[in-house]
Amino acid sequence: MSVCMNTSELKTAAHAAWDEDNEQDAEALFKQALAIDGQDPQTLFDLALLYKFQDRWAEALDFNRKVVAIKPDDTAAWWNLGIAATALSDWTSAAQAWQVFDITLPLESLPPALPAAAAAVRVRNGKQIDVLLGERLDPARVRVTQVPLPDCGVRYGDILLNDGLGNGVVTHQGIELPVREVLSTWAVSNHATYVLEAVVESKAQLDTLVELAARAGLPLQDWGGKVRYVLPTEGKHAPAEPEWQKVREIGIAAEDDQPVADLLDAWLAACPEVDIREVYVALTPDDAGEAHA
C-alpha cells in the first residue's frame, strides 16, 4: 500500500479491497485515510459499516458515535448506532438512537420490547436462504415465531439481530412485511427442533395433530411442501388443485423429549391410521451458530 495516496485515493482503494473480500486491507486503508482527515464523516461511517458486517460491535458503536457527533442528521449512522448498541445490550444508547426516528424504547424492564408486531427476516446460512416470520421486539431484534427448517440453523424462539433496510416483502395475513437481513443471533432459545416424518392419509389427520399441538403449547410447522399439482383436463378451465401429499415432514419445537412423545401418543390415539416413520432431534440450542446476511 502506497503512503503517497491522498484521502480520496485511499478510500477508493479501501472499497476496492472490500469488494474483493480483503477486509483487513480495507480496514487499514480506511484508517490511513482517517490519519490524514480524522473528521471525515463518510470514512468514519464506512469503517463503522465494515465493523458492523464483521460483528465488531464495540468498534461499530464507537465509530458511528463519531459520525453523529460531526453530522447529527446522518440517519443511517444513527440507525447503525442503534443496531450496534442493541448487539451490546447498551439500552441507553439504543434508546437514544431509536428516538431519532420517533421510536421510544421502554427501559422500565430489560431487555426492552416494543408492543408485539409481525416481522419477517431473511437468514443466510451458506447456500441455504430462508425467510422467517417473527415478532418485532425493537427495530433491530426479531423473535422467531415459526419452526424453521433445521438447515437454516435457527430455532423457534431465537432472537435475531437484523439490519435496517428491507430487501423485498412477504405477505402475512394480508399484510405486506418488509424482509430484513439477519446480521447475527442475539439470543438462542431453549427449544430444540424435532423432525417428524409420517404418512398422513388426509388433511383432517394433520389438522388433528395441529390442534393437539396447540392444546399442548407446542409450536408446530408442517413442512410437507412437496406438492404435485394436478393439471385440469384438456379443454377445461378449472384451476389446478394441489394433490395431497401423504408423506409429510413436520417440525416441532420443544425444550425436551417428553412433550413430543406425549403429543405423538395422543395423535396416534386419535388417528391410529397414521404411520410415524421417524422422529429425531435436528437442531438443539447447543448447535447455535451465527446466522449471517
Side-chain angles (χ1 to χ4, degrees):
M1 287 178 275
S2 172
V3 295
C4 299
M5 289 191 285
N6 60 34
T7 55
S8 178
E9 292 167 335
L10 286 165
K11 289 188 287 185
T12 298
H15 282 287
W18 195 353
D19 289 342
E20 295 173 359
D21 295 325
N22 189 344
E23 295 178 354
Q24 185 175 358
D25 279 0
E27 179 183 5
L29 288 159
F30 281 135
K31 285 184 173 180
Q32 285 187 45
L34 288 173
I36 298 171
D37 182 3
Q39 297 296 299
D40 178 5
Q42 187 60 55
T43 306
L44 291 166
F45 178 87
D46 289 343
L47 187 53
L49 193 65
L50 177 65
Y51 290 144
K52 179 179 81 168
F53 290 124
Q54 293 178 331
D55 294 347
R56 293 166 62 177
W57 297 114
E59 291 148 304
L61 180 62
D62 180 43
F63 277 85
N64 279 303
R65 278 178 172 155
K66 291 177 180 179
V67 176
V68 298
I70 298 167
K71 194 176 177 185
D73 61 347
D74 192 326
T75 54
W78 275 115
W79 196 277
N80 285 339
L81 192 157
I83 294 173
T86 301
L88 296 167
S89 299
D90 180 348
W91 302 118
T92 300
S93 296
Q96 181 187 18
W98 304 137
Q99 195 60 57
V100 171
F101 304 92
D102 296 324
I103 300 170
T104 300
L105 197 64
L107 299 181
E108 297 81 10
S109 178
L110 299 179
L114 296 170
V121 292
R122 182 179 290 102
V123 177
R124 302 177 188 267
N125 187 14
K127 294 183 178 180
Q128 180 79 18
I129 301 175
D130 294 90
V131 173
L132 305 179
L133 295 174
E135 61 179 5
R136 180 153 302 289
L137 303 177
D138 60 36
R141 291 180 302 146
V142 167
R143 180 187 287 114
V144 177
T145 56
Q146 68 180 84
V147 185
L149 288 162
D151 289 349
C152 79
V154 175
R155 289 143 296 274
Y156 169 88
D158 280 1
I159 299 176
L160 306 177
L161 191 73
N162 64 254
D163 212 346
L165 293 177
N167 181 9
V169 297
V170 63
T171 301
H172 175 61
Q173 297 180 346
I175 300 172
E176 285 194 346
L177 303 174
V179 181
R180 291 177 174 156
E181 300 286 340
V182 167
L183 294 166
S184 61
T185 302
W186 189 84
V188 176
S189 82
N190 295 323
H191 290 78
T193 302
Y194 291 75
V195 176
L196 163 65
E197 185 178 313
V199 179
V200 185
E201 295 293 334
S202 67
K203 184 176 182 299
Q205 292 176 349
L206 179 61
D207 290 343
T208 298
L209 177 63
V210 171
E211 182 178 347
L212 289 168
R215 289 179 189 173
L218 288 177
L220 181 145
Q221 199 89 26
D222 174 31
W223 298 327
K226 296 180 180 178
V227 176
R228 181 166 62 87
Y229 283 87
V230 180
L231 296 176
T233 305
E234 187 175 353
K236 305 274 187 178
H237 297 288
E241 292 291 338
E243 184 179 84
W244 178 256
Q245 298 296 289
K246 296 179 180 180
V247 178
R248 317 292 293 185
E249 268 199 340
I250 297 163
I252 305 169
E255 296 186 16
D256 56 68
D257 296 345
Q258 193 59 53
V260 178
D262 292 344
L263 172 64
L264 298 183
D265 286 345
W267 190 32
L268 286 174
C271 303
E273 315 84 18
V274 168
D275 176 16
I276 295 178
R277 290 184 171 179
E278 189 176 13
V279 184
Y280 62 94
V281 179
L283 195 66
T284 74
D286 292 336
D287 298 323
E290 292 192 339
H292 289 286

